[in-house]
Amino acid sequence: MVRAILHVDMDAFYASVEQLDHPEYRGKPVIVGANPKAGRGRGVVAACSYEARRFGVHSALPISKAWRRCPQGVFLRPRFDRYAEISEKIFAILARFTDLIEPLSIDEAFLDVTGSSRLFGAPEDIAREIKRVVRAEVGLVASVGVAPNKFVAKIASDLCKPDGLLVVEEDQVRGFLDPLPISRLWGVGPRTTERLRRYGLRTIGDVARLDSALMAPILGSEREELLLLAQGVDDRAVTPESPPKSIGAEVTFPQDTGDVDEILRTLLALSDRVSARLRRRRIAARVVVLKFRDETFTTATKSTTLPEPTDVEEEIYRAALSLLERLPWRDRKTRLVGVTATHLGPPRAQLGLFVDPNRVRKQRLASAVDDIRERFGESAIRRGALLKKGKVP
DNA sequence: TCTGGGGTCCTAGGACCC
DNA sequence: TCTGGGGTCCTAGGACCC
């Protein structure tokens, strides 16, 4: 049986939310991302309105470049809490049409509406209705791709933006994919594109027509999947939300720093953030990863496995500190540090295992802090060590 | 002109165990 | 004199996605 998969994707999501909340920004080039600091800012564009795209601005563009290309733009810092709020409304709308929803990001999802036809009509009608309701109830514009599988549905919505609706029937799939560049294939980024180019492969059709056996040296271990994708075959199911595999926080310093104190304070703040998010989800981590980037943009990660799972800030911080000592360089300035918790699972207490009374005290303290922050905001309460020097990043 | 922050998945070598 | 074979865990790095 042919499935009916929808890919729903909001157009210029962050920028559109800003234009929704601030009517005076409508019709203007809105650029959401890092602080441009008059062209000297660090970071990139997170999202921008279609008005801004006419100036050559796009997401992931360095913010300094965006400033130069579009000095008259409305530059805004992201308000993730607000975007999450709107996102919830959108997902609530999607849930009216099917239970089979797989979120891809804050503003994007796959829907399997194969079984929804009796109630809601043909897939194309469902897509049109979703667009109508999202616009009427939220005030934002979505694009929707409809196809027999996820891969084709995703490409369809990408290609019909903005405010698009594109249906690709099963017998149209090959003709639809063939002329597209190989970089449209899932999992084919700049590196793989370059490698495939060297073999003269430019379009998805070029890949689809290859002989699997001959491809071995070209594509490596993932050749079967890639070949099938290129041929428009994708059996992956639409699977509702799964628990996170890792939770991390990282920060790029406004200026590269050689100040050990600043680095330590930052690691503490990051450990704090990560542990709070672990506790909120009632999970604990067995592995802590420290990420470090120096002034030459060289990046290293070091990880360590803890004797037992933790959600306690102090333990994560101590693990990060022990990893700091194993870093390969000392003489270069630091651009970025990050702390990530992985190998997540239930905390010991939930498993019914013995928990050291000392840790119980720390956890109670941490939970109390969480509550205060919940009620009065993130900055309501902080560790003394964080206040010693300068501002918390 | 530089290159964010949140993730996922895969590979590969070495340790370790039976 | 030679030194199996398989499985799992740990660690580091890389490609990729939004």
Side-chain angles (χ1 to χ4, degrees), chain A residues 291-318:
Chain A
K291 182 171 168 183
F292 217 72
R293 178 171 290 154
D294 75 9
E295 54 189 333
T296 69
F297 215 74
T298 306
T299 308
T301 61
K302 299 285 168 194
S303 67
T304 184
T305 300
L306 304 170
E308 54 183 77
T310 186
D311 58 7
V312 175
E313 169 216 352
E314 195 183 314
E315 291 174 5
I316 292 173
Y317 177 60
R318 253 193 284 134

Side-chain angles (χ1 to χ4, degrees), chain A residues 269-310:
Chain A
L270 294 172
S271 306
D272 191 14
R273 231 147 79 196
V274 168
S275 66
R277 286 168 61 201
L278 288 172
R279 288 191 297 269
R280 199 173 314 150
R281 287 175 173 273
R282 297 208 180 344
I283 44 180
R286 277 204 57 227
V287 174
V288 174
V289 184
L290 175 69
K291 182 171 168 183
F292 217 72
R293 178 171 290 154
D294 75 9
E295 54 189 333
T296 69
F297 215 74
T298 306
T299 308
T301 61
K302 299 285 168 194
S303 67
T304 184
T305 300
L306 304 170
E308 54 183 77
T310 186

Side-chain angles (χ1 to χ4, degrees), chain A residues 34-42 63-68 71 75:
Chain A
N35 185 344
K37 295 186 181 165
R40 276 185 295 280
R42 269 189 158 175
I63 201 76
S64 51
K65 229 173 176 174
W67 177 266
R68 257 169 266 132
F75 285 82

Side-chain angles (χ1 to χ4, degrees), chain A residues 357-368:
Chain A
N358 235 326
R359 298 187 70 211
V360 174
R361 265 197 292 116
K362 282 176 193 159
Q363 278 162 335
R364 290 213 181 112
L365 174 62
S367 298

Side-chain angles (χ1 to χ4, degrees), chain A residues 301-377:
Chain A
T301 61
K302 299 285 168 194
S303 67
T304 184
T305 300
L306 304 170
E308 54 183 77
T310 186
D311 58 7
V312 175
E313 169 216 352
E314 195 183 314
E315 291 174 5
I316 292 173
Y317 177 60
R318 253 193 284 134
L321 278 193
S322 73
L323 293 168
L324 194 56
E325 283 159 19
R326 299 197 346 225
L327 279 172
W329 58 76
R330 314 215 163 264
D331 41 348
R332 296 205 281 269
K333 286 188 173 176
T334 301
R335 180 188 179 91
L336 165 150
V337 287
V339 175
T340 296
T342 74
H343 288 70
L344 306 179
R348 275 180 75 81
Q350 238 177 68
L351 292 171
L353 297 174
F354 170 76
V355 184
D356 172 8
N358 235 326
R359 298 187 70 211
V360 174
R361 265 197 292 116
K362 282 176 193 159
Q363 278 162 335
R364 290 213 181 112
L365 174 62
S367 298
V369 170
D370 291 343
D371 287 346
I372 291 171
R373 284 180 176 158
E374 183 93 9
R375 278 194 282 164
F376 302 108

Side-chain angles (χ1 to χ4, degrees), chain A residues 178-225:
Chain A
D178 272 2
L180 299 176
I182 44 176
S183 54
R184 285 273 168 193
L185 286 165
W186 258 81
V188 174
R191 298 291 166 124
T192 311
T193 300
E194 185 44 43
R195 208 174 74 229
L196 297 182
R197 266 193 104 80
R198 272 185 257 127
Y199 291 93
L201 302 172
R202 283 180 37 256
T203 66
I204 292 183
D206 291 341
V207 175
R209 285 184 291 268
L210 286 175
D211 181 297
S212 169
L214 296 178
M215 283 176 74
I218 304 179
L219 296 181
S221 57
E222 281 154 59
R223 61 184 180 279
E224 287 301 336
E225 289 83 25

